[in-house]
């Protein structure tokens, strides 16, 4: 099974549209992929909870239900398990792209997985530095569809 590290923007997208490609991979991809995210993802979601509820037109209960549906398939990793050398290496990769994404790259390296992100600045910035452990939604969706057959 492929390890997929889920960026916060992917979780936001899945929350806002569970029937989208992102939503379907998040909900139904557990038979083919192992999903991971750093605990920081929870902080970011709850930091933007009111905005998500407003955009998605969610009541509090609907938000919690959707949040639970999306996150139940994602193993949340405590940041303290990341060895300092892996974190430093990720920090060097991200420092001139977006330092806030360091933990996602570190988890990708630690879990030997691919970072699933919709952040094109991050994706292209990492690829330009020779970092290939990233995957776009379309690539992951095609992989998902091929496994569903």
């Amino acid at each position: 099974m492929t390890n997929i590290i889920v960026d916060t923007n992917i979780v936001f997208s899945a929350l806002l549209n569970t029937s989208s490609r992102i939503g379907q991979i998040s909900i139904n991809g557990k038979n083919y992929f192992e999903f991971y995210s750093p605990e920081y993802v929870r902080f970011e979601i709850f930091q933007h909870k009111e905005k998500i509820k407003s955009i998605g037109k969610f009541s509090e209960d609907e938000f919690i239900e959707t949040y639970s549906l999306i996150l139940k398939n994602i193993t949340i990793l405590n940041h303290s398990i990341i060895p300092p050398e892996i974190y430093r290496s990720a920090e060097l990769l991200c420092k001139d792209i977006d330092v806030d994404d360091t933990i996602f790259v570190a988890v990708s390296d630690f879990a030997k997985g691919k970072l699933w992100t919709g952040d094109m600045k991050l994706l292209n910035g990492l690829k330009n530095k020779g970092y290939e452990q990233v995957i776009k939604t379309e690539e992951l969706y095609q992989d998902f569809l091929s496994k569903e057959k």
Side-chain angles (χ1 to χ4, degrees):
M1 237 190 269
T2 307
N3 290 342
I4 302 293
I5 291 58
V6 185
D7 196 350
T8 306
N9 59 60
I10 295 295
V11 175
F12 283 169
S13 295
L15 283 168
L16 292 171
N17 187 354
T18 55
S19 60
S20 69
R21 288 178 174 195
I22 290 172
Q24 288 307 299
I25 296 167
S26 300
I27 295 165
N28 299 315
K30 67 181 180 283
N31 294 329
Y32 316 115
F33 310 111
E34 290 286 340
F35 296 113
Y36 296 94
S37 223
E39 61 188 351
Y40 181 64
V41 78
R42 285 190 184 133
F43 169 77
E44 283 192 297
I45 291 166
F46 278 92
Q47 186 178 23
H48 298 285
K49 179 177 141 183
E50 293 308 317
K51 182 178 179 181
I52 294 167
K53 282 171 52 179
S54 173
I55 293 168
K57 298 178 177 49
F58 294 134
S59 67
E60 183 68 20
D61 287 346
E62 289 167 331
F63 171 81
I64 296 297
E65 187 177 316
T66 307
Y67 170 83
S68 298
L69 177 68
I70 299 303
L71 263 74
K72 77 176 181 181
N73 295 329
I74 301 173
T75 301
I76 303 297
L77 299 177
N78 186 300
H79 300 181
S80 66
I81 67 170
I82 307 297
E85 61 276 8
I86 289 178
Y87 190 85
R88 278 193 296 277
S89 172
E91 202 171 36
L92 287 172
L93 274 170
C94 293
K95 71 177 183 177
D96 57 352
I97 302 168
D98 187 345
V99 73
D100 290 340
D101 289 312
T102 298
I103 191 63
F104 292 94
V105 173
V107 169
S108 298
D109 288 342
F110 177 75
K112 297 179 179 22
K114 291 192 175 220
L115 174 58
W116 178 20
T117 184
D119 180 343
M120 287 302 149
K121 179 183 174 203
L122 174 63
L123 194 133
N124 292 328
L126 290 171
K127 282 198 170 213
N128 288 341
K129 291 182 173 194
Y131 188 84
E132 295 294 325
Q133 287 177 237
V134 288
I135 192 163
K136 294 178 187 173
T137 297
E138 189 54 37
E139 295 170 87
L140 191 58
Y141 187 67
Q142 292 306 318
D143 191 19
F144 171 71
L145 287 179
S146 72
K147 291 173 182 343
E148 282 280 280
K149 291 179 181 170

